[in-house]
Amino acid sequence: MSADTPTDVFEAHRPVLMGVAYRMLGRVADAEDVVQDAWLRWSGADHGQVREPRGYLVRITTRLAVDRLREIRARGEAYAGPWLPEPYVTDFADSAPDGAERAVLADSVSFAVLVVLESLSPLERAVFVLREAFGYPYAEIAAVLDRGEAAVRQLAARARRHVDERRPRYTVDPAERRDLTKRFLAAAADGDLAALMSLLAPDVRLVGDSGGKAKAPLRVLETADKVGRFLVAVTAAEASRLSLRLLEANGGVAVLALSGGKPDTVLQLDVADGVVHTVYLVRNPDKLRSLAGR
């Protein structure tokens, strides 16, 4: 099979297409479905008429993701408790060798940003993803979405303003997060409430996503005392049946807890100035299926 076959061309661009679809949807299974639909469109295309395969494939994927997002929202399904994106294993070492580019990609796929993106319209979200995460010029985004460039610029300005107003106002340093995550786990495993609380910002928040299908707070917990006591109690009750490992997810280090070899919980911390500002817990089993075998 030559390097120029349609299959090889598509596979070469699959990571970018998956990145676009996941940032649009926040759900791994839906993103994979969109990429598969893009493949079906690509396999039936007249490839001799496609001058820029990447642009063509990103356009198809983005439009399919916009349609899928509209379908999801039209269903208006209620969600039990706080919502978090489905954990997504990320590795930007090969696709983004430049440190600044890696930082942009990591930020655009973080829990904090994806939660904010849920409140954007599908078109605003598409413009934000293509512009902020992948650096597409406004003219190209306009062609992708079949909109005028002026309209795209307005969508971009609204999306950026909305995200800036609601996203955390601190930068998460990868090395600091990894170090603090290890210290956090050690304090929780030892049941050392004082040590754990020393790692938490006074206004720390714990956001637990269970979808009503596992044990987790149905409301966001706030303050170091409430979050610390909850974590110590949960660790004491659950530690004996869980094994832990670190993985790279959503742009940074995360903790995967396994029960009987199956994914049980994903924990990730947002940290700054040496303390934890947000604890994310994903326990909805439907959102952990893609991590089986990790």
Side-chain angles (χ1 to χ4, degrees), residues 232-247:
V232 167
V234 168
T235 303
E238 304 287 345
S240 62
R241 70 178 186 87
L242 299 176
S243 60
L244 307 179
R245 63 184 62 176
L246 298 182
L247 76 162

Side-chain angles (χ1 to χ4, degrees), residues 19 22-23 86-95 102 105-110 114 177 247-254 268 291 294:
Y22 175 76
R23 287 169 175 81
E86 184 175 345
Y88 179 52
V89 176
T90 49
D91 182 1
F92 305 126
D94 296 326
S95 59
R102 281 200 301 273
L105 287 170
D107 180 65
S108 69
V109 80
S110 69
L114 289 176
R177 175 189 271 176
L247 76 162
E248 293 292 319
N250 293 82
V253 66
Q268 191 170 65
L291 299 178
R294 292 286 177 180

Side-chain angles (χ1 to χ4, degrees), residues 12-279:
H13 296 295
R14 181 184 288 274
V16 171
L17 305 183
M18 189 64 188
V20 170
Y22 175 76
R23 287 169 175 81
M24 282 292 299
L25 299 164
R27 302 160 178 86
V28 174
D30 285 332
E32 289 174 341
D33 286 347
V34 162
V35 173
Q36 180 62 24
D37 287 346
W39 158 248
L40 294 175
R41 303 285 182 91
W42 171 251
S43 63
D46 182 354
H47 302 111
Q49 300 299 313
V50 179
R51 290 183 297 175
E52 297 181 0
R54 176 178 169 128
Y56 179 89
L57 290 168
V58 168
R59 181 167 67 252
I60 292 174
T61 299
T62 303
R63 290 179 177 180
L64 289 169
V66 168
D67 291 343
R68 177 64 64 94
L69 189 56
R70 285 171 172 161
E71 291 172 4
I72 291 170
R73 294 186 176 181
R75 292 199 295 263
E77 298 170 353
Y79 196 80
W83 179 92
L84 288 172
E86 184 175 345
Y88 179 52
V89 176
T90 49
D91 182 1
F92 305 126
D94 296 326
S95 59
D98 176 73
E101 186 180 355
R102 281 200 301 273
V104 170
L105 287 170
D107 180 65
S108 69
V109 80
S110 69
F111 280 173
V113 168
L114 289 176
V115 167
V116 177
L117 294 189
E118 278 291 297
S119 60
L120 300 181
S121 73
L123 286 179
E124 288 172 340
R125 188 162 182 168
V127 171
F128 183 90
V129 167
L130 293 177
R131 179 67 181 173
E132 301 296 331
F134 296 96
Y136 272 67
Y138 290 114
E140 290 188 30
I141 299 174
V144 167
L145 297 176
D146 196 21
R147 296 289 191 279
E149 186 174 338
V152 165
R153 288 180 178 273
Q154 290 180 343
L155 287 167
R158 277 204 307 270
R160 166 50 61 190
R161 184 169 58 251
H162 187 80
V163 172
D164 285 346
E165 288 173 353
R166 299 185 60 185
R167 76 192 305 173
R169 298 183 182 277
Y170 49 81
T171 301
V172 180
D173 177 75
E176 183 182 17
R177 175 189 271 176
R178 180 173 288 272
D179 174 68
L180 201 51
T181 297
K182 292 180 179 179
R183 292 160 56 200
F184 178 97
L185 290 177
D190 291 341
D192 190 337
L193 179 59
L196 186 61
M197 288 183 61
S198 72
L199 303 177
L200 304 177
D203 59 349
V204 65
R205 303 166 69 247
L206 184 146
V207 184
D209 179 335
S210 69
K213 299 179 180 182
K215 292 183 179 179
L218 291 176
R219 296 182 180 179
V220 176
L221 298 183
E222 298 180 333
T223 76
D225 181 67
K226 290 182 180 179
V227 171
R229 292 182 184 280
F230 170 81
L231 290 168
V232 167
V234 168
T235 303
E238 304 287 345
S240 62
R241 70 178 186 87
L242 299 176
S243 60
L244 307 179
R245 63 184 62 176
L246 298 182
L247 76 162
E248 293 292 319
N250 293 82
V253 66
V255 181
L256 172 62
L258 301 160
S259 176
K262 296 181 179 179
D264 179 274
T265 305
V266 167
L267 176 146
Q268 191 170 65
L269 309 176
D270 270 356
V271 308
D273 301 322
V275 292
V276 178
H277 288 263
T278 309
V279 180

